[in-house]
Amino acid sequence: MKQLSSFRLRLLWLAVFPVVLIAVALAAVFMVDRIDDLDQAYAQRSRLLIRQLASASEYGLFSGNTESLQRLLDGALTQPDVLSATIFDANGDVLVRAANADLLSRFRHEKMLERLLEPVTSSQAQLAMGPSNGASFNETALTLGKVVIEMSRESVVAQSRDVLLLGVAVTLVGVLLGVFLAARLSRGVLGPVQRMSQMMQLIGQGDLTARVKWIAVDDPLRDLQQGLNSMAERLAQGRDELEQRIKEATDALRLRTEEAEAANQAKLQFIAAASHDLRQPTHALGLFVSRLGQLVDDPKTLELVNDLELALHDMQDLLDVLLDFSRLQEKTFQPRLQAIDLQELLENLGASFSMQAASKGLSLKVRTRAAWVLSDPVLLRQIVLNLISNALRYTKQGRILVACRALAQGSRLRLEVWDTGIGIAAEHQQAIFKEYFQLSNAERDRRKGLGLGLSIVQRAADLLGHPVKLRSVPGRGSCFSIELPCTQRVYDPAPSPSPPSLLQGLSVLLVEDDPMVVKASEGLLSSWACHFRSAENLDSALRLIELGFSPDILISDYRLPGDFDGIAVLQQLQRACGMEIPAVLITGDTEENIIQRAKSAGMTVMHKPLRPAKLRSLLKNLRITAQI
């Protein structure tokens, strides 16, 4: 019964709406036109009245007869809607005034007053005497004063209200008549409409099996109901086909997504595993080569050792690129933002590349400025290092310029690396940031890199939120730039200068299970006059401490035999020593959680292969910090 009433109301509204719309429109046109006529009649009457007053008061103003003017205004108050009348002289002073004070106050409060003003002028004949006996007359208009009346709009408002009520009444009559006619017409189609409505409601709920089950022969909506049944059948067939296609496409997409993720994960795992497995022997080889260079005196043999060290550095650089690439690809990797002295960073990088630039006959200039930026020091250094290295690799002659420009009134800074190299065509300026893409290395010459440098730059810049831009002209050179947010300078106490023999007598405990690395480390640390002991696991290291060995610095590999990794071993050894001894974790793994765990424990992390110069510098800094 409730649905029947709902359908009846909808059908009635469908039938009545045009009638209501037409009735309202006609009534609105009638009312607007009638109210406009009333306003025009009121305005004409008001204007005519004030003009008559102005004309009638001309003589009184000219002659100064205020009594006649007062009678004139008293007569004006008898006119409909006139509440006050005032005559001013030519100087603007009030001569006479007549007003209905009570009504004037009430209508002024209700803002239903209309104020009209009409100047009073007179034509005066002035005689202009010339030098002859003739005479001439000049007609000039003289302003004698002005007439102001205030009239009530009450009559107009009342008439407009009557017109509005009449229009509403006519509209209601039309609407009621339309409702009456629509109600009579709805009785014949209410049943079919109700059945179709129920069917459409079920279809809207997803039931495409719904049909209109009974259709009378004389039903005026018979064809429409049969058409709805046919439509429902086609919709059901189309839905089944569409669901099957969606299922097939979803299954195919899921399979491809899983394959892509598996391939990407396998690639990252391979890079990480290969990087770790290669770093272990390379790490030991670097220590051996460094020690060998200290022992050799023969010039030819020393030259061979230097060549071997250069080749080893190239291998280490390639491994560093693989490490950086695999770390940045990990979803869990998060940059660690801090204040960085950009001037110091650029000067150090400039000094590092100066010999390489000189060997190629290139001019490398670093124009720095005192600025502190907010970024990750490791990632920012890697970005700038890769950009300078890339510029040196593809520039045969000319110069490389590293410079900074202030932006946004000093709140940001643009770091630019210019070169006069081969340049990059417009169609390749997006592709060069992709992995393994190289413009001029079809033969895959390792000396030209792996094609990961700019990919690492883009990935690191995205993580840091530093926009990277490129401008390049083929044959003339390129300019890579990144934008950095500026921050406040950080003041750190300057470390005391280290004496030349700072490592002498330094006690170092190394936990490492690879005999080759142990042997190489022992030779290198002994050459630096360090007291060196090694252990292959936690138990062996604890025994050394129990026997009286007191280390100044603890060093451990991350991957160790047994139940403890390098981080846990270092923490156990620190507790056994009873103090926070400086701890260094050496690893070839790329997982960010390992690095984060170690740094949260206050440990210094160094990646394999570890260059002897970096190890020596680290040991010095740790000893200086411990002394402070």
Side-chain angles (χ1 to χ4, degrees):
M1 191 68 181
K2 185 177 181 180
Q3 290 182 347
L4 181 61
S5 300
S6 176
F7 281 116
R8 182 184 297 276
L9 289 175
R10 293 179 184 178
L11 189 59
L12 285 174
W13 173 247
L14 183 64
V16 169
F17 179 74
V19 177
V20 174
L21 188 63
I22 294 173
V24 170
L26 291 176
V29 171
F30 165 75
M31 288 186 291
V32 170
D33 186 63
R34 179 57 183 158
I35 291 173
D36 185 61
D37 290 342
L38 292 174
D39 284 338
Q40 290 182 6
Y42 175 82
Q44 291 176 358
R45 183 166 62 85
S46 302
R47 180 56 57 189
L48 179 61
L49 176 60
I50 195 171
R51 287 178 178 174
Q52 289 176 347
L53 282 175
S55 177
S57 61
E58 177 182 352
Y59 175 77
L61 281 171
F62 182 78
S63 61
N65 189 347
T66 57
E67 294 180 359
S68 65
L69 294 177
Q70 186 65 51
R71 287 194 300 271
L72 181 64
L73 295 186
D74 292 339
L77 285 182
T78 62
Q79 297 296 320
D81 301 325
V82 178
L83 300 179
S84 74
T86 307
I87 297 178
F88 297 84
D89 60 14
N91 296 324
D93 297 326
V94 176
L95 290 179
V96 291
R97 175 178 173 80
N100 190 332
D102 295 337
L103 292 178
L104 183 64
S105 176
R106 179 170 68 86
F107 285 116
R108 180 175 291 144
H109 178 71
E110 295 176 359
K111 297 182 179 179
M112 294 179 60
L113 288 178
E114 185 166 343
R115 192 169 185 268
L116 291 89
L117 183 149
E118 182 73 18
V120 179
T121 60
S122 175
S123 297
Q124 179 185 9
Q126 294 181 346
L127 181 62
M129 300 300 297
S132 61
N133 293 330
S136 63
F137 292 91
N138 183 27
E139 292 290 335
T140 61
L142 298 178
T143 300
L144 302 176
K146 59 184 177 182
V147 177
V148 176
I149 64 172
E150 291 180 300
M151 299 183 63
S152 168
R153 292 186 56 85
E154 183 181 23
S155 62
V156 177
V157 173
Q159 292 174 353
S160 299
R161 188 183 304 114
D162 294 340
V163 171
L164 181 61
L165 293 176
L166 179 61
V168 172
V170 172
T171 303
L172 289 177
V173 171
V175 170
L176 291 175
L177 181 62
V179 170
F180 174 75
L181 295 176
R184 297 197 61 179
L185 291 174
S186 66
R187 294 174 183 175
V189 295
L190 184 59
V193 169
Q194 182 179 10
R195 291 193 295 271
M196 289 187 293
S197 177
Q198 292 174 345
M199 173 184 170
M200 296 303 296
Q201 190 174 28
L202 293 174
I203 291 176
Q205 295 173 355
D207 182 11
L208 297 183
T209 61
R211 302 289 185 273
V212 179
K213 297 180 179 180
W214 181 81
I215 304 176
V217 177
D218 59 345
D219 195 330
L221 300 178
R222 176 186 178 87
D223 293 339
L224 178 59
Q225 295 173 79
Q226 290 178 339
L228 286 176
N229 286 341
S230 300
M231 179 195 71
E233 293 176 0
R234 291 194 296 270
L235 285 176
Q237 296 174 357
R239 184 189 63 178
D240 295 340
E241 294 177 0
L242 182 60
E243 288 179 349
Q244 182 63 28
R245 292 180 182 178
I246 292 175
K247 183 178 181 301
E248 294 174 355
T250 303
D251 293 341
L253 180 61
R254 184 187 306 111
L255 180 60
R256 292 178 183 176
T257 302
E258 292 174 354
E259 291 176 351
E261 291 180 352
N264 186 61
Q265 189 63 28
K267 178 185 70 174
L268 295 178
Q269 291 176 353
F270 169 76
I271 293 175
S275 175
H276 176 270
D277 294 342
L278 287 173
R279 285 175 182 277
Q280 190 74 355
T282 306
H283 173 59
L285 181 59
L287 300 179
F288 279 127
V289 171
S290 179
R291 178 60 178 151
L292 181 61
Q294 297 174 357
L295 300 176
V296 172
D297 294 329
D298 180 58
K300 291 185 177 180
T301 307
L302 186 59
E303 181 180 358
L304 182 60
V305 172
N306 291 335
D307 292 339
L308 179 61
E309 189 172 11
L310 289 176
L312 180 62
H313 285 175
D314 288 342
M315 182 184 297
Q316 291 173 342
D317 289 339
L318 294 178
L319 289 176
D320 287 340
V321 171
L322 290 174
L323 173 65
D324 294 334
F325 177 74
S326 58
R327 285 177 61 211
L328 292 175
Q329 292 296 102
E330 294 178 1
K331 296 181 180 179
T332 58
F333 179 82
Q334 292 294 331
R336 291 177 289 276
L337 302 179
Q338 63 186 63
I340 302 171
D341 186 348
L342 186 63
Q343 184 175 18
E344 180 181 357
L345 184 146
L346 295 181
E347 287 177 350
N348 291 338
L349 286 175
S352 300
F353 283 102
S354 59
M355 293 185 62
Q356 182 180 348
S359 65
K360 294 187 65 174
L362 301 175
S363 170
L364 174 60
K365 293 185 178 181
V366 179
R367 294 180 181 173
T368 62
R369 57 186 300 164
W372 287 74
V373 296
L374 184 65
S375 185
D376 184 301
V378 177
L379 292 183
L380 180 59
R381 184 181 185 280
Q382 190 64 45
I383 289 174
V384 183
L385 184 147
N386 283 357
L387 291 179
I388 297 176
S389 177
N390 210 56
L392 287 170
R393 181 177 293 120
Y394 292 104
T395 303
K396 296 181 180 179
Q397 60 181 4
R399 63 174 185 149
I400 291 92
L401 173 64
V402 182
C404 301
R405 299 175 184 269
L407 301 175
Q409 298 180 348
S411 63
R412 299 184 65 80
L413 187 141
R414 180 188 297 151
L415 193 156
E416 300 175 335
V417 179
W418 296 79
D419 66 65
T420 57
I422 60 176
I424 304 167
E427 61 269 19
H428 298 310
Q429 292 185 8
Q430 294 295 327
I432 60 171
F433 292 100
K434 296 181 179 179
E435 302 164 10
Y436 308 109
F437 182 87
Q438 290 180 293
L439 288 174
S440 56
N441 192 14
E443 69 278 10
R444 303 305 299 175
D445 185 352
R446 68 169 181 82
R447 293 173 297 179
K448 297 182 180 180
L450 297 176
L452 292 175
L454 291 180
S455 177
I456 292 174
V457 168
Q458 184 67 69
R459 175 62 176 163
D462 290 343
L463 287 173
L464 294 170
H466 301 340
V468 179
K469 296 181 181 179
L470 166 63
R471 289 174 290 165
S472 183
V473 178
R476 297 183 61 182
S478 305
C479 173
F480 289 87
S481 65
I482 58 172
E483 289 189 13
L484 309 170
C486 294
T487 187
Q488 297 295 324
R489 178 179 179 180
V490 177
Y491 294 91
D492 291 327
S496 58
S498 58
S501 58
L502 186 61
L503 296 183
Q504 185 174 359
L506 182 69
S507 298
V508 179
L509 175 57
L510 172 66
V511 183
E512 173 63 70
D513 63 327
D514 191 326
M516 184 171 57
V517 175
V518 172
K519 184 177 180 181
S521 300
E522 181 178 9
L524 187 62
L525 291 172
S526 298
S527 69
W528 295 341
C530 296
H531 295 310
F532 175 80
R533 293 291 186 276
S534 65
E536 64 179 6
N537 53 37
L538 175 61
D539 294 336
S540 301
L542 290 175
R543 281 195 296 270
L544 287 174
I545 294 174
E546 290 173 358
L547 293 174
F549 182 70
S550 179
D552 297 318
I553 293 177
L554 299 172
I555 302 176
S556 176
D557 188 18
Y558 175 73
R559 294 181 180 269
L560 295 172
D563 298 331
F564 297 98
D565 57 28
I567 299 175
V569 167
L570 290 172
Q571 289 175 328
Q572 292 278 0
L573 294 177
Q574 285 178 330
R575 284 193 287 268
C577 294
M579 62 183 69
E580 292 293 330
I581 299 176
V584 179
L585 181 72
I586 300 178
T587 180
D589 293 87
T590 61
E591 288 84 356
E592 181 64 21
N593 61 331
I594 297 175
I595 302 171
Q596 188 60 41
R597 279 183 55 210
K599 293 193 174 182
S600 298
M603 301 173 186
T604 303
V605 180
M606 300 197 76
H607 292 281
K608 299 177 182 179
L610 183 61
R611 299 184 182 182
K614 289 186 177 180
L615 179 60
R616 184 183 181 94
S617 176
L618 173 64
L619 295 178
K620 287 183 178 180
N621 290 334
L622 290 177
R623 190 166 198 183
I624 292 171
T625 304
Q627 291 174 352
I628 293 176

